[in-house]
């Protein structure tokens, strides 16, 4: 068996959580391979809504095993909150949940550093979720990180104290009053106390050498779905650097985030919204500042699942979508939030960019300093409500024209159309 991959093709929040949940019955294992609690993956069913940050989105299927892979960052404080919320379902989700020993920890002082770095950047801030992602991945690559497996060792306390001291030294360069910076509304020492208490919870979860576990699972013909976080345009190598996250959000990230060989990767499901959104700073060529942008935001309820920040909205960006399809080797596309486009008189799609007066279909090296002007093609809109449609044939003709244009331009079939947040509002295309 191969491992299938599901990931975002835009700037995150494409609806990955919803679709992983929809696909989970077809898989034995669902595994997150990168990111951490900067992610917010929303799942809705039976009038209930859950937002997962670290736990894979297969958790609602009692038959599936869920793995937090080695490429993921784990914050026990946030993981505890997620587990408490899931407790309300009456399911004992910890039975089906495994954490890689090689996953790195987000320490309270990583969150402190995230905050002081962002403050120091002022206008140039990344717009980080302030979950400590950048500092924790920095420690991982600079070989200073602390891993989940270290909790089982005698040297954990010593490592923790060393890291804390080093982080305090760094923080003091940026802000001499760094200890007054609030985390989760608390001053450092109060927050740290709570965080330390949650280590026990992490101790109690099942820990595995996930690379061996997954290799064994593949040998036994088990089906694995790798769940991406963030989106391709936030990838640390291929996104709009430096306005990116600190991990490889692309399909290559599956190999080092789970310990799977490239030859074991099968289908790559690329998820995109029928328009674009971005939360945080950074270039966004098709961003709308007019009533259409407002309409997308309101109709799409475009507010961050992790931070509650309003998401910036714009029309679909084909050069960026094609770029993401290329980088990830997408085999099937999935179009999300199609229902949000109902009621627009006209719908636009950027087919090209104008860069220094020249037309290009390519995403420029950097969009930060140069003007990137999108060139739009306009389509007639539709009034019909898509959210109650049960079969793709019943979709309005103007929607079909829009849909087929995208499919033809990108050159990859769209196999799923999502018309609402609920599991049931999902149309499969044969
Ligand atoms: P993720 O990070 O990719 O999992 O996406 P988020 O959960 O952050 O954001 C997607 C938002 O859109 C969530 O509030 C979902 O409940 C919602 N959503 C997902 N699919 C659809 C859809 O087809 N239509 C509408 N209207 N909302 C959707
Ligand atoms: P999901 O998995 C949308 C954005 C932040 C910021 C940048 C860096 O829910 O799609 P970080 O906290 O990683 O240092 O922030 O990346 N960002 C996301 N945007 N969805 C996400 O995750 C995101 N995770 C990070 O807003 O611009
Ligand atoms: Mg999200």
């Amino acid at each position: 068996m191969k491992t299938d991959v599901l990931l975002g093709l835009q700037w995150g929040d494409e609806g990955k959580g919803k679709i992983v949940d929809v696909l989970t019955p077809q898989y034995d294992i669902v595994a997150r391979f990168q990111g951490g609690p900067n992610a917010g993956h929303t799942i809705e069913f039976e009038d209930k809504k859950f937002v997962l940050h670290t736990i894979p989105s297969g958790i609602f299927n009692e038959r599936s095993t869920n793995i937090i892979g080695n490429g993921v960052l784990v914050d026990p404080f946030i993981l505890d909150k997620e587990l408490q919320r899931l407790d309300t379902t009456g399911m004992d989700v910890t039975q089906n949940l495994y954490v890689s020993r090689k996953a790195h920890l987000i320490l309270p002082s990583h969150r402190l550093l995230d905050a002081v770095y962002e403050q120091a950047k002022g206008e140039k801030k990344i717009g980080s979720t302030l979950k400590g992602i950048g500092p924790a991945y920095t420690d991982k690559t600079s070989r200073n990180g602390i891993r989940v497996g270290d909790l089982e060792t005698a040297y954990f306390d010593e490592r923790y104290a060393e890291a804390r001291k080093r982080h305090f030294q760094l923080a003091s360069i940026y802000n001499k009053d760094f200890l007054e910076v609030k985390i989760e509304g608390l001053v450092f020492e109060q927050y740290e106390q709570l965080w330390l208490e949650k280590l026990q919870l992490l101790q109690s979860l099942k820990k595995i050498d996930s690379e061996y576990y997954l290799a064994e699972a593949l040998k036994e013909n088990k089906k694995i779905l790798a769940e991406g976080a963030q989106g391709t345009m936030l990838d640390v190598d291929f996104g709009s650097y430096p306005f990116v996250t600190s991990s490889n959000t692309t399909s290559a990230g599956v190999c080092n985030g789970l310990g799977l060989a490239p030859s074991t990767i099968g289908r790559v499901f690329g998820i995109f919204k029928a328009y674009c959104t971005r939360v945080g700073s950074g270039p966004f060529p098709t961003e709308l500042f007019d009533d259409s942008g407002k309409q997308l935001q309101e109709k799409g309820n475009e507010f961050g699942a992790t931070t509650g920040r309003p998401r910036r909205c714009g029309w679909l960006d084909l050069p960026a979508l094609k770029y993401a399809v290329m980088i990830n080797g997408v085999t099937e596309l999935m179009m999300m939030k199609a229902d949000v486009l109902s009621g627009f008189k006209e719908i636009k799609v950027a087919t090209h960019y104008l860069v220094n007066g020249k037309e290009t279909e390519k995403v420029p090296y950097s969009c930060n300093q140069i003007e990137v002007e999108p060139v739009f093609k306009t389509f007639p809109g539709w009034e019909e409500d898509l959210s109650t449609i049960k079969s793709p044939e019943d979709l309005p003709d103007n929607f079909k024209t829009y849909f087929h244009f995208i499919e033809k331009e990108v050159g990859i079939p769209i196999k799923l159309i999502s018309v609402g947040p609920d599991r049931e509002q999902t149309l499969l295309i044969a």
Side-chain angles (χ1 to χ4, degrees), residues 134-327:
Y137 275 127
T138 302
D139 271 358
K140 173 178 174 173
T141 46
S142 67
R143 299 157 296 181
N144 286 306
I146 301 182
R147 303 189 289 182
V148 167
D150 294 333
L151 279 169
E152 294 165 335
T153 66
Y155 56 72
F156 180 84
D157 288 349
E158 187 189 329
R159 288 270 181 88
Y160 179 81
E162 279 167 12
R164 184 185 194 267
K165 186 171 163 206
R166 192 165 37 80
H167 294 157
F168 277 12
Q169 281 169 346
L170 272 170
S172 68
I173 299 172
Y174 289 84
N175 179 351
K176 65 178 175 34
D177 298 320
F178 67 91
L179 280 176
E180 281 163 33
V181 172
K182 297 260 171 70
I183 308 169
E184 302 279 340
L186 302 169
V187 292
F188 181 83
E189 281 182 10
Q190 283 171 328
Y191 173 75
E192 184 187 41
Q193 192 53 43
L194 292 180
W195 186 91
L196 288 168
E197 284 165 19
K198 303 304 174 203
L199 286 178
Q200 238 169 6
L201 161 94
L202 202 49
Q203 281 283 28
S204 70
L205 294 182
K206 292 187 237 179
K207 290 180 269 309
I208 51 171
D209 296 318
S210 52
E211 63 279 31
Y212 277 116
Y213 186 97
L214 292 170
E216 213 44 56
L218 285 177
K219 265 197 216 152
E220 290 167 11
N221 270 334
K222 295 233 168 97
K223 288 192 76 185
I224 304 172
L225 179 64
E227 172 181 359
Q230 290 79 55
T232 303
M233 302 312 282
L234 291 172
D235 180 274
V236 67
D237 282 284
F238 299 106
S240 45
Y241 195 87
F243 299 100
V244 293
T245 190
S246 299
S247 64
N248 283 115
T249 60
T250 42
S251 49
V254 176
C255 296
N256 48 28
L258 291 175
L260 289 166
S263 57
T264 65
I265 306 298
R267 298 156 79 182
V268 180
F269 307 121
I271 291 223
F272 70 104
K273 278 181 193 170
Y275 49 98
C276 283
T277 64
R278 176 167 200 164
V279 60
S281 329
F284 182 3
T286 62
E287 184 167 10
L288 290 165
F289 300 95
D290 59 6
D291 285 347
S292 298
K294 255 205 166 76
Q295 197 174 331
L296 285 171
Q297 191 183 69
E298 278 166 19
K299 192 127 194 277
N301 192 19
E302 294 296 356
F303 296 90
T306 296
T307 58
R309 290 178 293 177
R311 298 179 184 137
R312 299 152 65 193
C313 297
W315 297 121
L316 189 67
D317 181 334
L318 276 182
L321 189 62
K322 289 178 183 175
Y323 181 71
V325 165
M326 173 184 87
I327 297 284

